[in-house]
Amino acid sequence: MSDHSDSDARLHRIAADPRYQALVRSRGRLVWGLSLVMVAIFLGYMLLVAFAGPFLATPIGAMTTTIGIPIGLFVILSAIGLTAFYVRIANRRFDAETAALLRDHVA
């Protein structure tokens, strides 16, 4: 029973730490920012599909590939790129800050 209460006390100390609160705010701003970027890209693509179908159906040069294909590929690759960007920041910054908080709050 004391292990559980010790763990709870540790969690409450970490949650009250200003560094943890700053970490949560910083991570939240990044996540919401990246989410808004992805929504804007996807919404832009959907608006192109809805209102500019003939433009998306335009062939690129003499090829059979249309303009819509690379734009759709951009949407997919942007999701992968934004995810990779988040993972890079999380691994370098957020994980280091979390580890420092845990070290400092060892009971």
Side-chain angles (χ1 to χ4, degrees):
M1 190 77 161
S2 68
D3 289 339
H4 184 65
S5 61
D6 290 343
S7 177
D8 285 347
R10 182 179 179 202
L11 290 175
H12 287 293
R13 284 192 315 269
I14 292 172
D17 191 314
R19 294 175 300 159
Y20 174 76
Q21 294 167 1
L23 171 64
V24 170
R25 280 191 305 274
S26 175
R27 188 179 61 201
R29 279 192 305 270
L30 177 64
V31 166
W32 280 108
L34 294 176
S35 296
L36 287 174
V37 169
M38 192 64 237
V39 166
I41 290 170
F42 185 74
L43 183 60
Y45 183 68
M46 289 295 103
L47 289 172
L48 277 174
V49 169
F51 299 110
F55 168 72
L56 292 175
T58 305
I60 298 174
M63 300 186 304
T64 57
T65 302
T66 64
I67 292 175
I69 298 297
I71 293 175
L73 186 60
F74 167 76
V75 172
I76 294 167
L77 294 177
S78 66
I80 294 168
L82 290 172
T83 301
F85 178 72
Y86 175 80
V87 168
R88 182 177 180 199
I89 290 175
N91 287 341
R92 289 184 176 183
R93 181 174 162 218
F94 299 145
D95 288 353
E97 291 178 19
T98 301
L101 278 167
L102 291 173
R103 271 193 314 273
D104 292 348
H105 289 281
V106 172

